[in-house]
Amino acid sequence: MKILLVEDDDVLIKVLTKTLKAHHYIIDAVKDGEMGWTYGSTFEYDLIVLDVVLPKLDGISLCKRFRAEGYVTPILLLTSQTANSAKVQGLDAGADDYVVKPFDQAELAARMRALLRRGSPNPFPLLTWGDLMLNPSTCEVSYRGQRLDLTTKEYELLELMLRDTQHVFSSDELLDHLWSSEKFPSEATVRSHIRRVRHKLAAIGAPQDFIATLHGRGYYLKALQTEVAMPTITPPPLRSPSLEVASEPKIDCSHDSTSSLPVDDRSTTAQQQYLAFLNETWTTTQPDSIDQVRVLLQAIGDLHADQLTPQHQTQAQHLAHKLAGTLGIFGLHKAVHLARQLEHWLGGQAPLPANQAPLMKGLVTALQQEIEATSQIQPSQIPSGQSPLLLLLSDNESLNHALQAIAASRGVQVELVSPLALDTTLSALDATIDEIGQAPDVILLHLSIDRAMYSHLGQAQPPSLLQICTQRYPALPIIVMGDRQEWRTRLEVARHGGKLFLDTSTSPEQVIATVVDLLTRSKLPTKVMVVDDDHHWLRTLPTLLKPWGFKVTTLADPQQFWTVLQAVTPDVVVLDVNLPEINGYELCQMLRSDPDWQRLPVLFLSALTDASSQQKAFTVGADDYLHKPLMGGELATRILNRLQRVQAYQG
Amino acid sequence: MPTKRILIIDDEETIQTVVQFGIQMSAGWDVLLASSGAQGIVIAQTEQPDVILLDVVMPAMDGLATFKALRSHLATKHIPVIFLTAKVQTAARGQFDGLGISGVITKPFNALHLPEQIARILHW
């Protein structure tokens, strides 16, 4: 990335050049506005950084001139004036952003990255292409997670190409972008750099032609191969029925940079991009938040002097509310909690009595410290992030301890509700759930706690914790631990919605393994393939099944059956009996005779209600038989039943 | 899922930015931004988004007032509205009952998960 710096202060030029070089930027520095114009209008830059006060031609006028002449290069203004008028003037002149001197180096770098991103066709903070990932904020490059050691030029070359993966870069373009205007390397230099990067990429497992050559034109990143195993089949398009019969299933082979990644990788990449984006945003949010805390401190000062007007109190309350909201996005739980407390106090009595000032001051100071201490957003902080939450209701301390340790190693968060006073368990449960700000993904209930609770409350029968859990989270898997020998207990558990019963002798490792198993099961969407020649039915079906999170593929032409089956790899197939050319029974027999597919759950769905049709279906290997018409819920329940059986066998 | 257009009405610039990034990153939907209820209403009328995410607590015109205004306009009354609210306010969720809002999403959230949450609420 090439940057033009127009700045007349030698010290600042030196400092900035050093910082920017550390980020692998190529810098041309000039000292007055006229030179700035000469360079900016002659060479190509990805970003122009302008001081407002400059000899010969000031920064605002220079900025206006660039814009008037049609230059769209992002412009960042450096200003020592904090007055709003100067900022407004600068932005009106066509600048994209400004930084007030003295500035924080990290903030400046972050703002520059944001501007560079805006100017590039790739809007993401992390640049990726297939398995290659480049993080501009840390300057790290990796291929399949393996670190790639690159020289500065090699890094710059890759970054440039990753910023516009659809572009073929000519040698001239690369020369323009990668070397400052004082240097005049030859085309051979470009070739040797390309060769070295290719070599390093190949050494780490990338294809030889990761960077491909288009003879006579230049270099580009080669389009990624779409894996055959991962095509996306779209249901037949919803056009007129006559057209639909002829339509073939569409296989989506779009060559965007992420299409070849397996689903998991894709969401990991998304998480990484999101985290990188949060960190970038934090570098500017942090100083803003500290400013806001200062305003709060001011208000507390006024309160101390008994001079806080109700109007200012309301403003301070709003500020605390905004802070809580903003900090929440970054997952700063403690700071959010402090801001919420402040909001609560400020929203109470108006005017506040002055004697509240010390308490409030303590809160604001703690808030300030939390914000200042956060230099980086950690992956574990992100609210309701990737790590699933296990809500643990148990008073068995040694078990709790073991479970927490093992869960942590498996990437599962644990929230423990351990009652000290038994009759507060329910409110403790509520409070914990509200506090963690994330709904649990699975609940583990140790029966001793439940038993103890209702005997304590003098209730022989539930409402038990189990019931409360199932009422509050009807869709959630609930694991109950208890004594396997007690038949009555097991019955109660089953009656009240316990999903799995584990004996108290189960080892903590096994318990967590079960949790992980349940979690992974429920995470992947179930793929349902429906074969039916009733177009109307095929059209409504995906909507009917949607609430259950199924991924539905519909097919009207049984001739396509095998192709689509292999492409979709469904978890369950729903077949109509009467189909053109090949009927449902025959399709089912084909499945049952294939070693790869013979275990696939097959449900028949037909308007035929007679016993012999049903009998025939079961003879050819059907798992279930349903009659049309039926509700979406009914079909979903039957599908889920089949899948649970299958999973139980496999597990 | 086909591309959707989402309007976010929230007075917090940081939240706007992060939400926009998260939604585009995970679902590729178009995100329109408004910093106040009044601005949001104008954008909703002209742009006709598929859903509106509305912050409940805002200065000047709050979420409730904005929602009522959206419902009273012919051009916006059909657009589903989801309230964004802080966790502590969920206790007061009763105040939203009977208004005709499509759902509530609590802050803090992971913006990457918003499209999924929205789709679930609206049965997309």
Side-chain angles (χ1 to χ4, degrees), chain A residues 391-618:
Chain A
L391 187 64
L392 180 57
L393 304 164
S394 157
D395 53 5
N396 183 330
E397 276 188 31
S398 60
L399 176 74
N400 295 349
H401 214 71
L403 287 178
Q404 278 170 316
I406 298 160
S409 72
R410 299 284 307 258
V412 177
Q413 303 178 60
V414 178
E415 274 299 332
L416 176 68
V417 181
S418 180
L420 292 170
L422 285 169
D423 53 357
T424 62
T425 307
L426 286 188
S427 51
L429 176 66
D430 270 341
T432 309
I433 289 168
D434 279 342
E435 230 171 69
I436 49 187
Q438 177 183 350
D441 299 283
V442 58
I443 296 175
L444 178 72
L445 172 66
H446 200 289
L447 267 190
S448 62
I449 183 179
D450 212 12
R451 188 77 44 75
M453 192 185 78
Y454 49 85
S455 71
H456 178 86
L457 293 176
Q459 287 170 314
Q461 288 297 313
S464 63
L465 266 183
L466 175 59
Q467 264 180 307
I468 289 156
C469 290
T470 46
Q471 272 160 20
R472 190 160 179 162
Y473 299 107
L476 224 57
I478 299 174
I479 304 172
V480 180
M481 283 188 87
D483 190 347
R484 197 183 266 271
Q485 305 305 319
E486 281 184 48
W487 168 248
R488 287 203 60 81
T489 316
R490 298 200 62 168
L491 183 65
E492 282 300 301
V493 168
R495 272 188 189 155
H496 292 115
K499 180 153 184 169
L500 259 181
F501 192 92
L502 296 177
D503 191 68
T504 35
S505 63
T506 315
S507 73
E509 286 83 7
Q510 272 175 301
V511 175
I512 295 299
T514 310
V515 168
V516 172
D517 191 38
L518 276 173
L519 287 170
T520 43
R521 258 187 222 176
S522 51
K523 280 283 146 59
L524 292 171
T526 301
K527 290 182 282 184
V528 181
M529 181 172 156
V530 184
V531 189
D532 203 311
D533 60 343
D534 178 344
H535 296 279
H536 176 71
W537 174 242
L538 286 188
R539 227 168 300 159
T540 46
L541 204 63
T543 324
L544 281 178
L545 290 178
K546 189 137 218 171
W548 284 269
F550 293 130
K551 225 177 132 185
V552 183
T553 304
T554 56
L555 179 70
D557 178 9
Q559 306 275 359
Q560 302 277 351
F561 180 74
W562 211 256
T563 322
V564 177
L565 179 81
Q566 308 267 14
V568 177
T569 60
D571 300 298
V572 58
V573 165
V574 179
L575 297 175
D576 190 7
V577 172
N578 288 326
L579 290 166
E581 318 267 346
I582 311 169
N583 67 37
Y585 302 134
E586 289 166 323
L587 290 178
C588 186
Q589 279 172 311
M590 278 166 76
L591 287 170
R592 292 298 177 241
S593 60
D594 186 279
D596 290 339
W597 294 106
Q598 58 182 346
R599 283 182 196 82
L600 184 71
V602 177
L603 282 75
F604 274 83
L605 179 57
S606 169
L608 303 174
T609 54
D610 60 287
S612 68
S613 300
Q614 290 194 36
Q615 187 55 40
K616 180 143 191 217
F618 286 112

Side-chain angles (χ1 to χ4, degrees), chain A residues 23 42 55 104 184 201 225 229 236 260 271-272 296 347 354 423 426 470 472 530 548 593 620 633 635 645:
Chain A
H23 284 87
T42 313
D104 178 49
F184 304 96
L201 279 167
Q225 295 294 316
S260 73
Q271 290 287 356
Q272 285 171 333
L296 285 178
D423 53 357
L426 286 188
T470 46
R472 190 160 179 162
V530 184
W548 284 269
S593 60
V620 296
L635 179 57
R645 289 291 92 65

Side-chain angles (χ1 to χ4, degrees), chain A residues 30 35 88 96 113 158 163 178 184 224 240 274 317 330 395 404 435 472 480 528 542 559 588 638 641 646 651:
Chain A
V30 293
M35 282 297 276
V88 171
D96 298 274
R113 277 198 297 275
L158 268 184
R163 288 219 182 258
L178 301 182
F184 304 96
L224 300 157
S240 70
Y274 185 61
Q317 187 207 349
F330 297 93
D395 53 5
Q404 278 170 316
E435 230 171 69
R472 190 160 179 162
V480 180
V528 181
Q559 306 275 359
C588 186
R638 299 286 190 104
N641 278 342
V646 172

Side-chain angles (χ1 to χ4, degrees), chain A residues 296-316:
Chain A
L296 285 178
L297 269 179
Q298 177 68 44
I300 308 300
D302 290 348
L303 174 64
H304 193 71
D306 211 0
Q307 282 172 352
L308 183 65
T309 63
Q311 196 196 349
H312 279 125
Q313 188 182 329
T314 313
Q315 280 174 4

Side-chain angles (χ1 to χ4, degrees), chain A residues 86-259:
Chain A
K87 297 174 188 172
V88 171
Q89 234 189 332
L91 295 176
D92 281 348
D96 298 274
D97 201 359
Y98 59 83
V99 176
V100 179
K101 292 196 257 185
F103 44 79
D104 178 49
Q105 302 272 346
E107 185 188 338
L108 178 70
R111 286 190 188 270
M112 289 176 56
R113 277 198 297 275
L115 285 178
L116 287 169
R117 216 165 46 226
R118 212 183 293 170
S120 104
N122 183 344
F124 299 126
L126 300 177
L127 305 173
T128 60
W129 184 250
D131 292 326
L132 184 73
M133 184 166 90
L134 182 147
N135 184 343
S137 63
T138 60
C139 300
E140 280 175 352
V141 184
S142 62
Y143 188 86
R144 286 197 188 141
Q146 256 182 292
R147 178 88 188 266
L148 204 57
D149 277 320
L150 298 172
T151 65
T152 300
K153 270 295 168 261
E154 292 162 356
Y155 174 91
E156 288 163 6
L157 175 72
L158 268 184
E159 183 182 3
L160 182 68
M161 299 192 82
L162 282 165
R163 288 219 182 258
D164 194 351
T165 52
Q166 303 301 314
H167 189 73
V168 178
F169 291 87
S170 68
S171 297
D172 277 346
E173 247 174 302
L174 294 175
L175 285 172
D176 274 353
H177 277 99
L178 301 182
W179 277 270
S180 77
S181 27
E182 294 125 47
K183 301 198 176 113
F184 304 96
S186 69
E187 224 176 278
T189 318
V190 173
R191 273 203 302 275
S192 77
H193 276 96
I194 293 267
R195 199 162 48 234
R196 262 178 279 148
V197 176
R198 277 183 181 153
H199 192 72
K200 286 187 178 177
L201 279 167
I204 211 159
Q208 287 286 350
D209 57 352
F210 194 89
I211 299 176
T213 309
L214 193 63
H215 287 288
R217 295 265 321 273
Y219 306 95
Y220 64 101
L221 293 178
K222 187 153 187 201
L224 300 157
Q225 295 294 316
T226 304
E227 282 171 37
V228 187
M230 294 294 300
T232 323
I233 303 275
T234 53
L238 305 182
R239 282 176 290 168
S240 70
S242 57
L243 278 170
E244 221 177 291
V245 182
S247 72
E248 291 191 6
K250 270 198 207 152
I251 297 179
D252 182 1
C253 293
S254 55
H255 281 238
D256 67 292
S257 61
T258 50
S259 68

